[in-house]
Amino acid sequence: MQTYAHRTERTYKRSFGLRMLGLVLGFLILIAPVHAQDVLRIPYVADIGTFDPDNGFETGAMSAINNVYEGLVEYEPGSTKVVGLLARSWEISDDGLTYTFHLVDGVKFHDGTPFNAAAVVNSFQRRRDRGLSLSYFLSNVAEVRAQDDLTVVLTLKHPQPSFLDALSSPWGPKVISPTALAEHDNGEFAKTGLNEHAVGTGPFKLTEFNRGQRYVLERNDDYWGDKPFFRTIQISVVPDISQQILQLQAGLIDAVPINYPFAQLTNLPTGLEITAAPSMNQFDLFARPGSPLDDVEVRKAVMTAINPALWVKDAFGQFATPSKSLYSKAMLDALHPVEFPTDLDAAKAAIAKHGAVSLVIGLHSAAPSYGRIAELMIAQLALIGVKATAYILPSGAAYTLKDDPNPPDLLLTISGPDAAHPENQAKVFFTKDAPLNFFGRVLPEADTIVDKAGQTTDIKERNALYERAGQLYFDAGQIIPLVDVDDVVVHVQGLEDLGLRPMYPPGNIDFATVRRGS
């Protein structure tokens, strides 16, 4: 009996222990998905150069920076409508020179410093006056002053109808904690310190900066606005898209934000889905002066062959459409779309009459879409007797083509503006002094129309002028718009409200709005 009783007790204890272990494991299984729900894991193709919102033209990391820092206004998700952010309302004077912003009350920076008008003045003056790379956003601001603790007044040098768009740009001026600016100022206005530190008012705080490997954002539980769904955003740097896809399929990350091959989108593995949204991701060709396209007959023949209607579906499936103008359709819906010739037999005859024509296409990027577009256009050109080749330009080479002794005949690029106003497209890419007028082409008649449009406040009249100027650049063969491509994010099933904005570079999920559905 004693032996039996002893064994029974041990058996009971073992059984009880196993039951408790089972309960604990079951509990962990139950809570593990809940814990996982708190974390969003996002890969970046390129490393983050800087978290300084004033001193770096980041593209892939825009969602991270803009969830740490905030500006006075922003573009509403899914549109180009300007809405308030740190400014709850504003007025514009009749002469278009004075902008008065009324600030949200009760906001604090991540370090506890109160947000007020003085902080706005301090940040805006830093961007404008300290030689930072994005200072041009405020170059037309003559004065920025605090009228009181919750009112900021900006006075312009001359009217600028695109000014609110400049402030709403993803690269527009943000407000930085004055305490942090002072702490990181080593005599160079915190240019170095803010590369790896960030103190804003946004819904997330930067808590880990591990260059080239990993970045972590944690939810700001004292945020003045709506609280984000995710507590933690884990950002990894994974340059290879195939590796990103493998990690997504293995459940190690939650999305492939950009460059998922379009050819694979129609046959996604189980458990994955697509969110697509309008984008200003427009592919264009810029032609150098002196290229074979200067000949009107050759240009017409080439335009016939590369007509994007012939290849857009092969390249992008349902996620792109032929461009209607030199401006993205998300910015300006052209009333009179550009037209490509369509008679391939006539194009072939024109080339045969002219004699041998060869074209070299320079690709601004090694991203897969560039190569696919070039491949399809080369095949189309071969049908009319034009020999074309393509190569990927070295990093940064597109910006020095004016001085290149042996430039390509055509540059294939994305002419993405920095704000959703047509002026930001024309004055950056098209006009004589545009910084990204890649080949330095000049068309004074069109430039004059752009100048007039830039001072026009009536949107319908303004858009008509920009569209007319764009048509002139197109007719002259300087710039050839090809396709508008959607912002396409492949992610695990259940992610909702990604907050994609047309003006943002593709793939920039808004960490403040994205959530897991029920």
Side-chain angles (χ1 to χ4, degrees):
M1 291 291 294
Q2 289 180 347
T3 303
Y4 175 77
H6 177 66
R7 289 178 178 172
T8 301
E9 182 180 4
R10 286 198 308 173
T11 303
Y12 172 78
K13 288 180 178 179
R14 182 182 179 188
S15 175
F16 178 78
L18 289 173
R19 288 200 304 270
M20 288 303 298
L21 178 60
L23 288 172
V24 170
L25 289 174
F27 178 69
L28 288 174
I29 290 170
L30 286 172
I31 68 171
V34 175
H35 175 72
Q37 295 258 351
D38 281 347
V39 180
L40 182 68
R41 302 158 301 170
I42 298 295
Y44 282 175
V45 172
D47 195 15
I48 300 175
T50 178
F51 256 89
D52 189 336
D54 296 326
N55 204 35
F57 208 82
E58 298 291 329
T59 55
M62 189 52 59
S63 56
I65 294 170
N66 284 2
N67 271 279
V68 172
Y69 290 109
E70 296 177 307
L72 297 179
V73 291
E74 66 173 347
Y75 289 122
E76 188 175 62
S79 79
T80 57
K81 179 183 177 181
V82 175
V83 295
L85 192 53
L86 289 174
R88 56 180 175 81
S89 63
W90 59 90
E91 298 96 40
I92 305 172
S93 62
D94 291 340
D95 62 5
L97 292 176
T98 303
Y99 288 69
T100 303
F101 293 92
H102 305 284
L103 308 181
V104 177
D105 193 7
V107 177
K108 289 186 177 182
F109 291 96
H110 299 156
D111 59 7
T113 303
F115 163 77
N116 53 28
V120 177
V121 172
N122 190 43
S123 291
F124 278 36
Q125 288 179 339
R126 174 187 186 255
R127 174 178 283 221
R128 184 191 63 180
D129 302 335
R130 303 309 183 189
L132 304 179
S133 62
L134 300 180
S135 62
Y136 68 92
F137 277 89
L138 297 176
S139 62
N140 188 33
V141 176
E143 181 186 32
V144 51
R145 63 183 177 87
Q147 182 170 292
D148 56 48
D149 276 355
L150 292 175
T151 309
V152 172
V153 180
L154 303 181
T155 304
L156 306 187
K157 300 172 185 176
H158 56 77
Q160 182 185 343
S162 64
F163 186 60
L164 279 179
D165 285 274
L167 296 183
S168 302
S169 166
W171 298 279
K174 306 299 186 293
V175 188
I176 306 169
S177 165
T179 303
L181 283 173
E183 287 178 351
H184 293 288
D185 185 0
N186 294 319
E188 34 76 279
F189 312 106
K191 291 180 183 179
T192 302
L194 290 188
N195 281 337
E196 299 184 5
H197 299 86
V199 184
T201 59
F204 284 92
K205 303 177 182 181
L206 176 64
T207 57
E208 183 179 334
F209 188 105
N210 191 351
R211 187 174 293 283
Q213 298 182 44
R214 170 184 162 98
Y215 305 89
V216 176
L217 307 181
E218 295 289 346
R219 186 168 61 202
N220 175 15
D221 287 330
D222 295 324
Y223 184 54
W224 62 272
D226 294 336
K227 302 299 187 292
F229 176 89
F230 290 101
R231 175 167 293 280
T232 303
I233 310 296
Q234 295 178 354
I235 299 168
S236 54
V237 180
V238 186
D240 186 80
I241 292 301
S242 62
Q243 287 298 315
Q244 287 194 18
I245 293 172
L246 289 174
Q247 289 185 21
L248 179 63
Q249 294 174 355
L252 300 177
I253 58 176
D254 295 306
V256 172
I258 59 171
N259 292 338
Y260 202 103
F262 283 88
Q264 298 180 26
L265 293 178
T266 56
N267 190 29
L268 289 178
T270 302
L272 301 183
E273 60 185 358
I274 297 169
T275 293
S279 170
M280 293 190 187
N281 192 26
Q282 183 187 52
F283 284 89
D284 299 298
L285 286 172
F286 286 72
R288 71 170 177 86
S291 80
L293 271 67
D294 282 357
D295 184 296
V296 175
E297 287 191 357
V298 171
R299 182 165 72 243
K300 183 177 180 179
V302 168
M303 299 273 278
T304 304
I306 66 172
N307 182 350
L310 299 173
W311 51 263
V312 62
K313 296 302 179 186
D314 289 333
F316 299 104
Q318 64 180 350
F319 299 106
T321 55
S323 298
K324 297 174 68 175
S325 76
L326 269 65
Y327 310 92
S328 163
K329 63 183 180 181
M331 175 190 291
L332 188 158
D333 190 11
L335 296 178
H336 304 286
V338 297
E339 295 183 2
F340 285 76
T342 58
D343 191 335
L344 283 170
D345 289 336
K348 186 175 182 179
I351 296 300
K353 174 184 174 184
H354 179 276
V357 174
S358 298
L359 291 173
V360 177
I361 305 170
L363 310 184
H364 197 162
S365 168
S369 294
Y370 284 84
R372 181 60 176 155
I373 291 174
E375 175 186 280
L376 291 167
M377 290 196 301
I378 289 170
Q380 288 294 127
L381 288 166
L383 294 177
I384 65 168
V386 173
K387 181 181 179 181
T389 58
Y391 71 98
I392 300 168
L393 291 168
S395 178
Y399 305 115
T400 59
L401 288 177
K402 295 176 187 177
D403 303 317
D404 191 331
N406 188 32
D409 299 302
L410 297 165
L411 170 67
L412 176 62
T413 188
I414 294 175
S415 59
D418 55 16
H421 192 288
E423 179 177 57
N424 294 70
Q425 184 86 14
K427 289 281 189 170
V428 171
F429 292 97
F430 306 156
T431 58
K432 177 183 177 181
D433 298 320
L436 296 182
N437 182 343
F438 294 102
F439 290 108
R441 304 285 294 269
V442 179
L443 193 63
E445 179 185 357
D447 289 4
T448 298
I449 296 173
V450 167
D451 288 338
K452 181 179 179 181
Q455 299 302 313
T456 303
T457 55
D458 181 88
I459 293 178
K460 184 177 180 180
E461 180 182 351
R462 175 201 79 184
N463 285 354
L465 289 168
Y466 281 117
E467 185 178 339
R468 174 57 184 155
Q471 185 70 52
L472 292 175
Y473 296 122
F474 174 77
D475 290 342
Q478 292 186 193
I479 307 148
I480 303 168
L482 296 175
V483 291
D484 290 331
V485 183
D486 288 344
D487 191 350
V488 177
V489 178
V490 177
H491 54 81
V492 295
Q493 286 184 343
L495 282 189
E496 300 176 355
D497 298 335
L498 272 62
L500 304 177
R501 291 167 168 83
M503 186 54 247
Y504 275 55
N508 275 278
I509 298 168
D510 189 344
F511 303 143
T513 64
V514 64
R515 61 188 179 87
R516 295 194 198 277
S518 55

